[in-house]
């Protein structure tokens, strides 16, 4: 009893009593401190560690979810950095920031060389023809692989040592690499068979991509998608899979149109894969920049991918071989194929006629092309599965934007009014680079150089305008001097120089000439002709040599000829021009993509009265037409003279052509027709 009372006294530990342990009453004693100093911290430590482990054990599912989330975030972060980093852009397009700066410096050097070249050649113009007579040649580079402008150089001596040749070749190769830069993606490589030099005066100018970027303060690389997501086309193609068949990658109408279709499909949320039958051309880097997936294999892999797609669109008659193999491999795949044929020559029909009646439908560019192909089908007893569709090409958003036509790229900063002002500045800058004055009428023709495009006939007509652009008093003077029309150039000039001092200032012929020269209203502009596309993979080398040979025989005409490389940056060329010539021969142009592009920039079009051109160009309204072949040369020359004399008529025709483009040939018009085609393809699958 006494023991219990002692335990209940004040100061005693009730806890230790209940635990069955005896604790000293004096907590400050050494024994108490020694026995109990570390108990409480150890217990707290064990409880905190054990509590955390217990929490992890009881929430193991939450822990794994957290780890999976962190791992997924890390994966997306790495993928995003790879997809949007500068190094990746360099890997796909072949250029980065530093090469771009290098290219600007190189281009400025080339521009100075261009001006120097032009000045040096101009000083020798008076003696050019005399040098031709005595056998001397003036070698001016028409095109050089990888460079924008090439200066004239004298032919190297045959005694040059092999070591110096290797050194100069290596130096040229180094300069070539430093000059590529940004323009590499916009220009095709030069065909090795095309001669680098010729014996005529012909100046290679452009491309002017850097000038466009500087003045417009915008470039196609800044595009972030141009899809109208409220339109029927976007709703129809969203999340669907498309396979597009490219026959080649040259910078011509068919590959460019297919590339822009692929871009629009991607912008509207579709999945797009491209099959390239021939990598001939310079669009591969552009496809990579637009993130268009190109299948490496054009056989088994492409067939299997096409079978999983909703629609297969082939963009040329040349795709016949791929379509035939695909249908043989997967017979059911024929109902997926929409064949967009962009050629209008019999040879293309012959190579594709065996599969025309096996595909789902045919698509043509113009009414005349559709009628021609259906006529050939009737001759060969070919019955098509369905009626052909008609989808004309359109002016893409980038060119419409620069031309000042409302497009999806317009913003408050880049309104149509602002773009019209910038286009005028671009015109002035580019014409200055070409050494053109306000008195020069620049006529351009941009296409592959081959007999079907009629560049030689154009040069013949332009030559007759340039070499025979004489005032009436000049003709009368020639008659009085007894100068024959067929007399060669040098004897004619010598005879005139001998007899001119005999004429006095009071001669009525001289007075008449002075009056006309002082009357600016009666003076004609001088004609300049720019021809592209130098270096295109679609050029015919023998035909190019024929053009050079013609210019060698017509030195006066050669002074009025400019050349430009194959490029996708054509807005600067359209802005600098005063008229456009499309001189396609045979059955004429299938449609004429360049025709509507020129009309969008307010240019009158001079074209052949055949094919799609006669459907687009209204004679005496939006331009002037002439017959095909050499008989049309006389009328073509007359049309060029008429435009030279009538600047106001050029302007009026250009305005009418621009209105027609806005009404019929913009992007929304083309994709509205594509909606009908896609609906038909999907309906009976």
């Amino acid at each position: 009893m006494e023991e219990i009372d002692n335990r209940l006294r004040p100061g005693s530990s009730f806890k230790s009593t209940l635990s069955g342990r005896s604790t000293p009453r004096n907590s400050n004693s050494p024994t108490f401190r020694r026995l109990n100093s570390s108990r409480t911290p150890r217990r707290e430590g064990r409880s905190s560690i054990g509590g955390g482990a217990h929490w992890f054990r009881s929430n193991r599912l939450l822990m794994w979810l957290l780890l999976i989330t962190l791992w997924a975030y890390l994966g997306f972060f790495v993928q995003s950095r790879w997809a949007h980093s500068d190094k990746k852009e360099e890997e796909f397009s072949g250029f980065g920031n530093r090469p771009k700066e290098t290219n600007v410096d190189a281009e400025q050097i080339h521009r100075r060389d261009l001006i120097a070249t032009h000045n040096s050649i101009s000083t020798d113009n008076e003696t050019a023809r005399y040098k031709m007579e005595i056998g001397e040649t003036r070698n001016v580079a028409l095109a050089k692989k990888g460079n924008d402008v090439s200066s004239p150089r004298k032919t190297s001596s045959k005694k040059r040592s092999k070591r110096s040749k290797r050194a100069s070749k290596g130096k040229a190769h180094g300069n070539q690499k430093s000059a590529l830069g940004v323009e590499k993606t916009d220009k095709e490589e030069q065909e090795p068979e095309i001669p680098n030099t010729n014996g005529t005066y012909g100046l290679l100018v452009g491309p002017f991509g850097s000038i466009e970027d500087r003045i417009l303060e915008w470039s196609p690389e800044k595009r972030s998608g141009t899809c109208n997501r409220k339109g029927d086309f976007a709703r129809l193609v969203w999340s669907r899979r498309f396979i597009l068949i490219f026959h080649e990658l040259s910078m011509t109408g068919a590959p460019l149109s297919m590339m822009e279709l692929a871009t629009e499909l991607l912008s509207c949320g579709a999945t797009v894969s491209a099959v390239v039958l021939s990598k001939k051309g310079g669009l591969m880097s552009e496809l990579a920049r637009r993130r268009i997936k190109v299948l490496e294999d054009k056989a088994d892999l492409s067939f299997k991918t096409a079978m999983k797609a909703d629609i297969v669109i082939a963009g040329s008659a040349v795709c016949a071989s791929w379509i035939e193999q695909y249908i043989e491999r997967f017979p059911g795949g024929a109902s997926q194929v929409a064949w967009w044929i962009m050629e209008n020559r019999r040879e293309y029909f012959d190579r594709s006629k065996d599969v025309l009646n096996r595909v789902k439908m045919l698509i043509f560019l113009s009414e005349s092309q559709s009628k021609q192909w259906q006529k050939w089908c009737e001759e060969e007893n070919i019955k098509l599965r369905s009626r052909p569709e008609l989808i004309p090409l359109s002016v893409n958003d980038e060119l419409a934007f620069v031309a000042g036509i409302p497009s999806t790229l317009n913003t408050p900063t880049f309104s149509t009014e602002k773009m019209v002002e910038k286009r005028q500045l671009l015109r002035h800058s580019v014409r200055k680079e070409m050494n053109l004055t306000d008195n020069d009428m620049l006529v351009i023709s941009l296409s592959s150089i081959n007999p079907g495009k009629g560049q030689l006939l154009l040069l013949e007509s332009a030559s007759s305008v340039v070499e025979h652009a004489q005032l009436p008093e000049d003709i009368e003077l020639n008659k009085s001097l007894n100068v024959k029309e067929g007399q060669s150039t040098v004897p004619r000039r010598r005879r005139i120089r001998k007899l001119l001092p005999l004429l006095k200032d009071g001669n009525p012929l001289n007075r008449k000439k002075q009056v006309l020269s002082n009357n600016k209203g009666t003076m004609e502009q001088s004609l300049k002709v720019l021809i592209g596309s130098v270096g295109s993979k679609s050029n015919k080398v023998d035909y190019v040599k024929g053009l050079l040979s013609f210019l060698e025989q017509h030195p006066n005409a050669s002074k009025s000829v400019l050349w430009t490389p194959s490029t996708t940056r054509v807005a600067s060329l359209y802005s600098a021009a005063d008229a456009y010539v499309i001189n396609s021969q045979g059955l004429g142009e299938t449609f004429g993509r360049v025709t509507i592009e020129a009309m969008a920039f307010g240019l009158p079009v001079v074209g052949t009265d055949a094919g799609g051109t006669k459907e687009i160009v209204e004679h005496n309204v939006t331009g002037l037409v002439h017959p095909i072949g050499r008989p049309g040369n006389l009328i073509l020359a007359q049309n060029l003279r008429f435009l030279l004399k009538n600047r106001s008529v050029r302007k009026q025709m250009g305005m009418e052509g621009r209105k027609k483009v806005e009404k019929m040939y913009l992007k929304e018009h083309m994709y509205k027709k594509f909606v009908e085609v896609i609906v038909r393809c999907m309906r009976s699958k």
Side-chain angles (χ1 to χ4, degrees), residues 445 447-455 543 582-585 589:
S445 181
S447 63
S448 55
I449 304 175
N450 58 65
K453 301 299 182 180
Q455 286 91 350
Y543 189 73
I582 181 163
N583 200 36
S584 298
Q585 302 300 306
E589 193 71 18

Side-chain angles (χ1 to χ4, degrees), residues 72 164 184 314-315 358-359 376 381 416 517 543 548 599 652 664:
S164 62
K184 182 178 180 180
R358 302 176 67 182
V359 300
W376 288 332
N381 295 321
T416 55
S517 63
Y543 189 73
L548 303 182
M599 291 167 63
Q652 180 63 30
M664 299 177 62

Side-chain angles (χ1 to χ4, degrees), residues 16-201:
S16 59
T17 303
L18 295 178
S19 63
R21 297 177 183 179
S22 59
T23 306
R25 297 177 183 179
N26 188 0
S27 61
N28 295 325
S29 64
T31 306
F32 182 86
R33 289 196 300 267
R34 183 174 61 252
L35 294 175
N36 299 285
S37 61
S38 61
R39 281 184 184 176
T40 301
R42 287 178 183 174
R43 186 179 297 114
E44 290 177 354
R46 287 195 301 269
S47 63
S48 61
I49 296 174
H54 178 72
W55 185 89
F56 276 109
R57 285 195 299 269
S58 61
N59 296 277
R60 184 174 300 174
L61 178 62
L62 183 61
M63 179 184 67
W64 281 110
L65 289 176
L66 180 62
L67 291 176
I68 292 172
T69 303
L70 292 175
W71 180 258
Y73 175 78
L74 180 62
F76 282 122
F77 176 76
V78 172
Q79 183 180 12
S80 177
R81 287 294 301 272
W82 178 84
H84 300 286
S85 65
D86 295 336
K87 292 182 179 180
K88 192 256 182 183
E89 183 70 14
E90 245 177 324
E91 177 184 347
F92 275 97
S93 58
F95 58 87
N97 295 330
R98 293 182 180 178
K100 190 171 184 178
E101 296 174 358
T102 306
N103 181 69
V104 172
D105 297 336
E107 183 174 0
Q108 293 177 354
I109 297 174
H110 285 308
R111 299 305 177 202
R112 290 195 293 269
D113 292 342
L114 172 61
I115 297 174
T117 300
H118 180 78
N119 293 337
S120 63
I121 293 176
S122 300
T123 56
D124 295 335
N125 282 345
E126 294 299 326
T127 60
R129 284 173 290 182
Y130 177 73
K131 289 183 178 180
M132 291 287 183
E133 292 294 327
I134 63 176
E136 295 184 17
T137 60
R138 305 169 62 223
N139 294 322
V140 180
L142 173 62
K144 187 174 182 179
K145 184 174 182 178
N147 291 337
D148 291 352
V149 180
S150 301
S151 303
R153 299 175 181 268
K154 295 183 179 180
T155 305
S156 60
S157 174
K158 294 183 180 179
K159 296 182 179 180
R160 179 183 297 178
S161 63
K162 294 183 179 179
R163 181 179 301 176
S164 62
K165 285 184 180 180
R166 288 194 298 268
S168 62
K169 185 180 295 185
K171 184 178 180 181
H173 183 68
N175 293 337
Q176 173 186 344
K177 286 187 177 180
S178 63
L180 283 177
V182 176
E183 303 294 341
K184 182 178 180 180
T185 61
D186 303 322
K187 188 172 62 175
E188 288 187 357
E189 293 184 355
Q190 171 71 45
E191 281 281 13
E193 294 85 359
I194 295 179
N196 287 338
T197 60
N198 63 90
T200 67
Y201 168 63

